[in-house]
Amino acid sequence: MGERRVIGWAARDTTGLLSSYSFNLRKTGPEDVVIKVLYCGIDHTDLHQMRNEIHSTNYPLVPGHEVVGEVEELGSEVRKFRVGDKVGVGCIIGSCGKCSSCKSNNEHYCADRIFTTGGTYPDGAPTHGGFSSTMVVHQAFVVRMPNKLAPEQAAPLLCGGVTAYSPLKQFTKGYSNEDVLRVGILGLGGVGHLGVIIAKAMGHHVTVISSSSKKKEEALEHLGADSYLVSSDSAEMEAAAGSLDYILDTVPAHHNIKAYLSLLKVEGRLVIVGASPQPLQFIASDLILGKKTIGGSFIGSIEETEELLEFWAEKGLKTMIEVVKTDYVNKAFERMERNDVRYRFVLDVAGSNLH
């Protein structure tokens, strides 16, 4: 299949403002899936990329890496999908397939991974994401949607959801089903709210940690968290010292992680999944004296993404989303930056006028 002209919304410079953009999709190969985009989640990483804040951005940039769509065409060697299937695409659309990461279902850690948006194909052509009418993706990086999962509900799971799911799943290794892990979710934004829902569904005791009390009722009454901790309240922080097995740090901006290390038990772990553009700092003795560790986790594998979608559908869980059209997308990013969304925007691509 030859190249086809499609319409998307793209950022042209570091202002990050999006506008209509026409471009050619790459040619469809034998193992490719042509996807009509239905919905696409709006993620904080999109904003960082649009503004050239985390790595060198090539403009024009079409964002969007939480893509839910419908299969329109199949390459001659695709057997996993059929035309009409509902499918998803996350942050990665390519890898080398040969390294130890790829061979252990950790293709997202491959040194030659290709990002869905802002990446580069082997021939040097740029990748464009789900803020567009159509995508072409290799079948290995396309996941099937469970039938009972609404497509707009599924979109935030493809990055934000699996970003929380992967480390939360790792936390449970080495523990029996009788053990109730005490997990702190730092930050109650797009990833954080999904982390609370997933951790509760896994049977963990969940404490939401936030800088103010304004989301307390939301966390406890609507998301089902067990407790709420205001990090700016020194008395609350002191009372909670040494109470948590793990902390999932979802904050995508600069913050002081030293204060949160005190909340961990001996051998506790703080895992960072929020991509702060600025360096984070801590004092070595805060780790040494409690045998504590700071780690990182990057999204999740294709296998984990499929696991999460099935887990979500099986448990009957619900994402908290606000669906918007493309003519509102710049306003949505402004609101997201102010934390003025509960808790994730989803772009209705198929229902929008992209021109």
Side-chain angles (χ1 to χ4, degrees), residues 46 64 230-231 301 323 349:
D46 293 321
V230 179
S231 59
S301 66
V323 179
V349 178

Side-chain angles (χ1 to χ4, degrees), residues 35-104:
I35 301 168
K36 175 186 176 182
V37 178
L38 301 177
Y39 295 93
C40 188
I42 298 178
D43 184 72
H44 234 287
T45 305
D46 293 321
L47 189 61
H48 289 322
Q49 287 184 310
M50 288 153 50
R51 293 178 176 174
N52 195 28
E53 290 177 340
I54 52 176
H55 55 72
S56 182
T57 298
N58 293 318
Y59 296 102
L61 172 83
V62 178
H65 55 268
E66 296 180 332
V67 187
V68 179
E70 181 178 306
V71 175
E72 280 193 331
E73 295 179 23
L74 299 171
S76 59
E77 296 179 17
V78 176
R79 300 291 180 265
K80 184 179 177 182
F81 303 103
R82 295 182 178 180
V83 172
D85 283 349
K86 298 296 189 298
V87 295
V89 178
C91 298
I92 304 296
I93 56 170
S95 67
C96 76
K98 301 174 183 176
C99 68
S100 58
S101 292
C102 288
K103 290 181 177 179
S104 60

Side-chain angles (χ1 to χ4, degrees), residues 227-250:
S227 59
Y228 190 94
L229 180 58
V230 179
S231 59
S232 58
D233 187 320
S234 57
E236 282 193 25
M237 291 289 284
E238 188 174 343
S243 65
L244 300 176
D245 294 295
Y246 301 99
I247 295 174
L248 185 68
D249 182 349
T250 74

Side-chain angles (χ1 to χ4, degrees), residues 22 54 60 105 115 157 183 195 229 289 297 322 335:
S22 175
I54 52 176
N105 289 324
F115 288 105
L157 303 179
V183 177
L229 180 58
L289 296 178
S297 182
E322 183 176 334
R335 285 180 53 197

